[in-house]
Amino acid sequence: MDEKLSKVDPKLLDLLVCPLTKGRLSYNRDRNELISESARLAYPIRDGVPIMLVSEARKIED
């Protein structure tokens, strides 16, 4: 398991939703982010803590 992800409880990842859309999130292991496809946002995970703030999210460009 990825060392950075191992610091985040997998059950927590199942419970988290996008704060903007309340939709499901997927985990991007390469970038260590939680992805909201519906909002087109990527929320960073820093030191094992998901940063669930729209202001901190990266916009996903096509």
Side-chain angles (χ1 to χ4, degrees), residues 10-30:
K11 291 179 184 176
L12 175 63
L13 293 178
D14 288 341
L15 296 173
L16 289 174
V17 296
C18 175
L20 187 63
T21 67
K22 309 298 186 242
R24 291 192 59 114
L25 298 167
S26 60
Y27 177 63
N28 181 318
R29 184 179 301 272
D30 294 336

Side-chain angles (χ1 to χ4, degrees):
M1 184 184 287
D2 184 274
E3 185 177 317
K4 292 178 182 176
L5 179 60
S6 66
K7 295 180 184 176
V8 178
D9 185 341
K11 291 179 184 176
L12 175 63
L13 293 178
D14 288 341
L15 296 173
L16 289 174
V17 296
C18 175
L20 187 63
T21 67
K22 309 298 186 242
R24 291 192 59 114
L25 298 167
S26 60
Y27 177 63
N28 181 318
R29 184 179 301 272
D30 294 336
R31 296 190 72 140
N32 200 37
E33 298 174 322
L34 295 175
I35 307 296
S36 171
E37 294 291 339
S38 57
R40 307 288 296 152
L41 294 173
Y43 298 95
I45 299 174
R46 296 186 188 129
D47 298 321
V49 179
I51 309 300
M52 303 305 298
L53 300 171
V54 174
S55 62
E56 293 290 316
R58 177 179 64 81
K59 291 181 182 175
I60 299 173
E61 305 292 335
D62 286 329

